[in-house]
Amino acid sequence: MWRKKGKGATVIERAGLFLGTVLIIISTFQPLWGMTLIAPQYPEGLRVEIFTKAIKGNLDIINTLNHYVGMKDLDNMSFPELKYMTALLLALAALFFLSAVIGRLWMVAATMGISAVVGIAGVYDLYHKLYNYGHNLDPRAPIKLSGGFTPPVIGQNQLANFHTYSYFLSGSYLIIASGLIGVWVLWQLARRSRRSVQPSS
């Protein structure tokens, strides 16, 4: 004899998914990733912050410095992802909202699967962008860098007398928090689903 399957997410789990929806929406107004370059002539650091719609920071100074090693300008035009990043995150927020309303294992699983693919693709896209910036250098640049370089997605690097620090910012942490909530709800639903199909004694 088999037990009746679970009826879906609890009120607390649905509330968690609603919270995840809100966190993702808020993330579209927050910086997602940043980089700080520190050198003796810039002890306070030159900063770059990527939002969903724009790149902000000391771009004029950084682009002037990058020109000496042949790097392309760092601006909104060079990041076509900015045209759809907000819509993509809002689509994820919509999936979280639907998961909260429907509250079923298959919906939460699909949402978390799509979220994982988007997250991995986003990190890879950033790495690929940084790699291209550091390797596709203008051969006419005054300063030649043999072999190029790749600024880290997260971490520290050094080029000449510049120390580079890369890190996630508040927008990414909000997205990660929503993902952790989704994983928790998925785990709870899966656990109850396994119990519901166990033969009763």
Side-chain angles (χ1 to χ4, degrees):
M1 183 175 178
W2 298 84
R3 291 175 182 167
K4 185 178 180 181
K5 291 185 177 181
K7 295 182 179 180
T10 64
V11 173
I12 294 177
E13 291 160 359
R14 291 174 191 266
L17 292 170
F18 277 123
L19 176 60
T21 303
V22 174
L23 294 180
I24 295 174
I25 293 174
I26 295 175
S27 75
T28 62
F29 301 99
Q30 300 295 315
L32 298 173
W33 182 84
M35 176 185 290
T36 299
L37 295 83
I38 297 176
Q41 61 270 43
Y42 300 103
E44 296 181 354
L46 300 173
R47 290 178 173 78
V48 176
E49 290 185 351
I50 296 181
F51 290 71
T52 57
K53 292 182 178 179
I55 302 175
K56 301 180 180 180
N58 307 109
L59 300 183
D60 290 340
I61 300 175
I62 291 173
N63 284 334
T64 299
L65 295 171
N66 287 346
H67 178 74
Y68 290 106
V69 296
M71 292 180 69
K72 297 178 181 177
D73 283 347
L74 192 62
D75 54 27
N76 293 339
M77 296 295 292
S78 57
F79 277 76
E81 297 87 346
L82 299 177
K83 296 179 181 177
Y84 59 80
M85 197 180 298
T86 299
L88 185 60
L89 287 177
L90 292 178
L92 285 183
L95 287 175
F96 266 75
F97 179 79
L98 289 174
S99 294
V101 172
I102 297 173
R104 293 293 182 178
L105 174 61
W106 63 267
M107 183 66 203
V108 178
T111 297
M112 296 314 303
I114 294 172
S115 298
V117 171
V118 170
I120 293 171
V123 172
Y124 175 77
D125 181 65
L126 178 59
Y127 168 80
H128 188 256
K129 187 76 68 176
L130 293 171
Y131 179 89
N132 282 334
Y133 263 99
H135 286 81
N136 294 328
L137 304 174
D138 188 343
R140 298 167 297 179
I143 300 176
K144 310 296 183 186
L145 296 178
S146 61
F149 70 101
T150 304
V153 174
I154 300 176
Q156 179 184 357
N157 194 11
Q158 182 176 0
L159 180 64
N161 62 340
F162 276 87
H163 291 269
T164 303
Y165 300 88
S166 306
Y167 38 81
F168 289 135
L169 289 172
S170 55
S172 290
Y173 289 121
L174 291 173
I175 296 171
I176 292 171
S178 68
L180 292 176
I181 292 172
V183 169
W184 175 74
V185 174
L186 179 62
W187 179 72
Q188 292 291 337
L189 289 170
R191 183 171 60 87
R192 288 200 297 273
S193 178
R194 284 198 301 270
R195 288 180 177 177
S196 69
V197 296
Q198 290 176 352
S200 59
S201 56

